[in-house]
């Protein structure tokens, strides 16, 4: 208000990027109430059909409700009645202002998803008390600028699908209102389930519409297999990316509408394109070039297409990425892209195919650290471990490297009841993940009873049943049944170079160019394919 942030008790606002605030007084409170009521009146007079009153997330009303944010001892703090007084006043005044026949949808957070929050029982009590004042409850969980609550509002892969199923069900059972629910409802089947189970009446979808804005039209047309699935990376969220490189991993058009057309224009000079490698970069390049009208051939050594995604989609945490891999495979199958699988791309084979353009998308090679005993029989590279499957994992495993791959394997195994030692040289877990990914990961991994984390630590020797780990002040013997290496990847420049000088126009894309993420692979693949 007038350039200052006000909260119920003047506590610092937001996390981790906190800002100083002032204590809300009744004069400002009444002014804001009057302003909101006047806006509601104008919306009603203008002719809108529905008004959404949002008191969820970081809203000042939610702060008054929450005892951890509201330390007041006057009529606005302390008891449930006092803390929810402002919410009651606003709802009642707005209903009075817009009349009985105007549809009022109230958006609330079931809880704020942080330790300072009110309880869900208190929110349910409030909703029951105003059920005759509202028509629709729009239910979410969490906050926005409190990142520990944001991961409940916009759940990354570490949170379950249909996150608000149970709270929506309770509201539906308790209150005579229409229930609108969101929170990691990622596909048509999940939306249909919540409706069929009478958990909700309306389904609110966010990130999936970012991944594919035509999701509803494709489903209505019976083209569900053509829907590009969201992988819940949260790169579309400015907070996750700290306002840098905000994008969508699977939709290169988002934030680039001036560079990426809705539909690619067909080429007037179709070319023969040969792509070596069927990972995410190679597949996106192939599908984009095919969309432009080129004749595309993919050569890959594996039995199926997918490249690094084949291992990356293993485990319960990776069902969203697995859906994207299924989408890519489906699109290739529906195209006339030629596949040459279980085949090494030799110079002779490439010359036989006679391409106009050769694209190298062979991925990267895993780094094997130079550690004594690293060649023991029970030492596995992360990709080999994932290929073998989680069901064959040993009871006690040491993982070297706490990037996203190492952390995700650790969490999957720990959730199965396995004992995990996670060793990392730096002081940061999953440094390659975005802000919200790390926050959510840490919530699940730091206090997990089966995961023992050692940062700023170095493995100096691997033995059959143990390894030696050097910490800041001592050397520890860590027992294990298996040892997994997950220290990262590097470009295989030597292999890339062998494919040059075969075809005049030769490009390379994806991890063989620069080890990165699915986001970069898909984006680079699109722009390369579109440029041909």
């Amino acid at each position: 208000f007038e350039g200052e942030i006000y909260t119920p008790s003047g506590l610092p606002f937001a996390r981790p990027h906190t800002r100083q605030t002032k204590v809300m007084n009744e004069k400002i409170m009444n002014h804001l109430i009057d302003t909101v009521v006047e806006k509601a009146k104008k919306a009603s007079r203008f002719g809108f059909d529905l008004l959404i009153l949002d008191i969820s997330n970081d809203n000042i009303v939610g702060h008054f409700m929450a005892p951890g944010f509201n330390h007041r001892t006057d009529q606005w703090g302390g008891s449930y009645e006092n803390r929810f007084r402002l919410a009651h006043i606003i709802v009642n005044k707005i209903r009075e202002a817009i009349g009985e026949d105007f549809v009022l949808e109230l958006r609330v957070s079931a809880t704020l998803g942080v330790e300072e929050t009110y309880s869900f029982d208190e929110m349910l009590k409030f909703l029951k008390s105003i059920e005759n004042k509202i028509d629709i409850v729009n239910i979410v969980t969490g906050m926005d600028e409190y990142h520990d609550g944001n991961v409940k509002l916009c759940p990354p892969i570490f949170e379950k699908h249909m996150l608000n199923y149970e709270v929506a069900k309770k509201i539906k059972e308790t209150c005579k209102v229409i229930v609108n629910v969101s929170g990691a409802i990622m596909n048509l089947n999940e939306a249909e389930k919540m409706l069929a189970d009478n958990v909700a009446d309306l389904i609110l979808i966010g990130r999936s519409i970012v991944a594919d804005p035509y999701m509803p039209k494709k489903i209505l047309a019976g083209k569900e297999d053509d829907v590009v699935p969201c992988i819940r990376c949260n790169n579309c969220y400015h907070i996750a990316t700290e306002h840098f490189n905000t994008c969508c991993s699977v939709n290169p058009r988002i934030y680039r509408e001036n560079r990426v057309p809705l539909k690619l224009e067909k080429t007037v000079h179709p070319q023969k394109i040969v792509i070596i490698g069927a990972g995410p970069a190679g597949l996106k390049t192939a599908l984009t070039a095919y969309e432009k009208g080129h004749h595309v051939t993919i050569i890959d050594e594996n039995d199926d297409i997918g490249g690094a995604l084949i291992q990356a989609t293993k485990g319960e945490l990776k069902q969203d990425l697995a859906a994207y891999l299924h989408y890519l495979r489906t699109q290739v199958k529906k195209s006339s892209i030629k596949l040459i699988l279980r085949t090494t791309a030799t110079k002779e084979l490439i010359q036989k195919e006679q391409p106009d353009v050769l694209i190298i998308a062979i991925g990267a090679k895993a780094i094997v650290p130079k550690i004594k005993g690293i060649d023991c029989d029970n030492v596995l590279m992360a990709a080999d471990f994932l290929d073998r499957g989680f069901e064959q994992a040993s009871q006690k495993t040491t993982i070297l490297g706490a990037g996203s791959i190492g952390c995700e394997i650790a969490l999957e195994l720990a959730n199965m009841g396995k004992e995990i030692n996670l060793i990392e040289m730096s002081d940061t877990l999953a440094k390659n993940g975005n802000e919200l990914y790390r926050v959510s990961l840490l919530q699940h991994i730091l206090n997990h009873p089966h995961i023992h984390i050692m940062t700023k630590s170095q493995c100096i020797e691997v033995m059959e049943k143990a390894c030696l780990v050097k910490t800041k002040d001592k050397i520890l013997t860590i027992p294990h049944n298996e040892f997994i290496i997950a220290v990262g990847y590097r470009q295989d420049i030597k292999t890339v170079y062998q494919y040059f000088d075969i075809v005049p126009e030769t490009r390379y894309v994806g991890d063989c160019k620069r080890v990165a993420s699915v986001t970069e692979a898909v984006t680079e693949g699109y722009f390369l394919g579109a440029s041909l």
Side-chain angles (χ1 to χ4, degrees):
F1 181 76
E2 294 184 347
E4 300 286 351
I5 300 175
Y6 287 83
T7 57
S9 301
L11 299 174
F13 175 76
R15 231 180 357 247
H17 308 294
T18 57
R19 282 159 282 170
Q20 295 303 307
T21 72
K22 292 186 175 181
V23 178
M24 172 69 82
N25 59 52
E26 290 196 20
K27 181 179 178 181
I28 296 175
M29 197 183 306
N30 289 329
H31 175 81
L32 294 178
I33 292 171
D34 291 343
T35 301
V36 170
V37 170
E38 184 59 29
K39 287 181 178 180
K41 286 180 181 178
K42 288 180 178 179
S44 176
R45 291 198 301 265
F46 187 80
F48 286 105
D49 300 308
L50 177 148
L51 179 72
I52 300 178
L53 172 60
D54 188 352
I55 58 172
S56 66
N57 303 346
D58 304 63
N59 191 286
I60 183 71
V61 183
H63 273 243
F64 266 95
M65 295 175 181
F69 294 132
N70 182 352
H71 298 171
R72 299 173 75 115
T73 56
D74 59 7
Q75 63 174 333
W76 302 101
S79 67
Y80 158 82
E81 288 76 16
N82 286 354
R83 287 184 285 108
F84 279 72
R85 185 187 304 276
L86 179 58
H88 274 105
I89 290 172
I90 288 176
V91 170
N92 285 315
K93 281 183 175 289
I94 285 184
R95 173 51 77 191
E96 182 181 351
I98 63 179
E100 293 299 319
D101 297 329
F102 197 81
V103 181
L104 179 59
E105 179 172 354
L106 181 68
R107 179 177 169 93
V108 296
S109 291
T111 70
L112 296 176
V114 295
E115 61 182 2
E116 295 93 341
T117 188
Y118 46 82
S119 69
F120 175 59
D121 287 341
E122 287 182 322
M123 175 52 69
L124 193 62
K125 182 178 179 181
F126 167 66
L127 293 175
K128 181 65 178 175
S129 71
I130 59 163
E131 64 181 353
N132 64 332
K133 300 291 183 181
I134 61 174
D135 302 291
I136 305 170
V137 169
N138 182 325
I139 191 74
V140 299
T141 295
M143 305 183 74
D144 184 25
E145 293 194 53
Y146 290 74
H147 292 189
D148 45 335
N150 192 298
V151 294
K152 312 299 181 184
L153 177 66
C154 198
I157 63 172
F158 305 105
E159 300 292 338
K160 63 183 180 181
H161 280 212
M162 299 182 287
L163 182 69
N164 292 313
Y165 184 99
E166 293 300 331
V167 296
K169 181 180 180 182
K170 193 69 175 177
I171 293 169
K172 185 73 175 167
E173 293 170 346
T174 306
C175 305
K176 296 178 181 177
V177 292
I178 294 169
V179 176
N180 186 7
V181 64
S182 64
I185 304 168
M186 305 310 299
N187 54 57
L188 177 65
N189 290 337
E190 291 174 356
E192 292 283 7
K193 175 177 171 56
M194 297 193 79
L195 295 174
D197 291 354
N198 199 30
V199 167
D201 307 287
L202 300 168
I203 303 298
L204 184 60
I205 291 175
R207 289 171 293 176
S208 292
I209 302 296
V210 175
D212 191 337
Y214 294 94
M215 175 188 184
K217 289 189 174 183
K218 289 177 180 178
I219 289 172
L220 286 171
K223 298 179 178 179
E224 189 181 344
D225 281 346
D226 293 335
V227 174
V228 185
C230 168
I231 63 173
R232 293 206 289 168
C233 67
N234 280 358
N235 283 331
C236 59
Y237 208 152
H238 60 87
I239 282 178
T241 62
E242 297 181 340
H243 302 267
F244 177 76
N245 200 27
T246 308
C247 61
C248 175
S249 290
V250 297
N251 182 357
R253 191 165 191 266
I254 295 299
Y255 300 111
R256 301 188 186 97
E257 290 83 358
N258 62 329
R259 295 175 59 200
V260 180
L262 278 171
K263 189 173 179 62
L264 282 170
E265 185 178 344
K266 292 286 186 181
T267 181
V268 295
H269 300 293
Q271 294 179 297
K272 185 167 185 181
I273 315 295
V274 169
I275 300 172
I276 307 172
L283 292 178
K284 189 61 179 180
T285 305
L287 288 167
T288 308
Y290 173 78
E291 184 183 344
K292 284 200 69 177
H294 295 295
H295 308 291
V296 182
T297 296
I298 299 175
I299 305 171
D300 195 271
E301 294 181 342
N302 294 305
D303 295 335
D304 203 351
I305 59 175
L309 288 181
I310 296 173
Q311 292 84 29
T313 53
K314 298 291 181 69
E316 293 295 322
L317 297 175
K318 308 311 286 287
Q319 56 180 310
D320 302 291
L321 192 58
Y324 183 62
L325 174 56
H326 174 74
Y327 161 80
L328 290 174
R329 287 173 169 172
T330 300
Q331 298 310 302
V332 171
K333 186 176 181 180
K334 292 171 70 172
S335 74
S336 59
I337 293 172
K338 179 182 176 183
L339 295 178
I340 304 176
L341 301 178
R342 297 176 290 279
T343 302
T344 300
T346 62
K347 180 177 180 179
E348 292 73 25
L349 176 58
I350 295 167
Q351 290 172 332
K352 181 181 176 182
E353 290 294 320
Q354 297 182 321
D356 299 300
V357 181
L358 177 65
I359 295 171
I360 309 161
I362 59 173
K365 283 196 171 183
I367 297 171
V368 181
K370 294 180 179 180
I371 298 173
K372 183 180 178 181
I374 202 71
D375 55 352
C376 284
D377 290 340
N378 61 343
V379 174
L380 295 169
M381 302 305 295
D384 295 329
F385 170 83
L386 292 168
D387 268 336
R388 192 185 69 180
F390 284 98
E391 63 278 359
Q392 296 188 45
S394 299
Q395 182 57 34
K396 187 171 291 186
T397 300
T398 293
I399 301 173
L400 181 62
S404 58
I405 295 174
C407 287
E408 288 171 10
I409 293 175
L411 198 53
E412 292 272 9
L413 291 174
N415 288 340
M416 295 168 62
K418 311 295 186 182
E419 293 295 325
I420 308 301
N421 288 300
L422 190 57
I423 303 170
E424 170 60 35
M425 287 187 67
S426 74
D427 59 356
T428 306
L429 300 185
K431 196 171 185 178
N432 56 325
N434 66 42
E435 173 76 14
L436 293 183
Y437 174 95
R438 287 196 303 274
V439 168
S440 184
L441 169 69
L442 294 177
Q443 286 181 353
H444 288 80
I445 204 171
L446 285 184
N447 297 314
H448 201 297
H450 297 299
I451 300 177
H452 314 286
I453 299 170
M454 303 174 67
T455 55
K456 295 184 179 179
S457 300
Q458 181 181 3
C459 178
I460 57 176
E461 184 176 352
V462 181
M463 298 166 285
E464 185 179 356
K465 295 295 182 182
C467 64
L468 299 182
V469 177
K470 182 180 180 181
T471 66
K472 182 180 179 181
D473 49 11
K474 55 187 172 182
I475 294 177
L476 302 174
T477 300
I478 308 296
H480 62 247
N481 303 121
E482 284 189 326
F483 188 94
I484 299 173
I485 302 172
V487 296
Y489 290 81
R490 65 164 59 98
Q491 307 103 308
D492 185 3
I493 299 298
K494 186 176 180 181
T495 303
V496 169
Y497 283 174
Q498 77 177 16
Y499 291 115
F500 279 82
D501 293 330
I502 301 173
V503 177
E505 186 172 353
T506 301
R507 314 277 191 91
Y508 62 131
V509 67
D511 282 349
C512 69
K513 181 178 181 181
R514 179 174 60 90
V515 177
S517 65
V518 173
T519 308
E520 284 88 352
V522 171
T523 302
E524 285 187 18
Y526 172 83
F527 280 107
L528 176 54
S531 72
L532 297 172

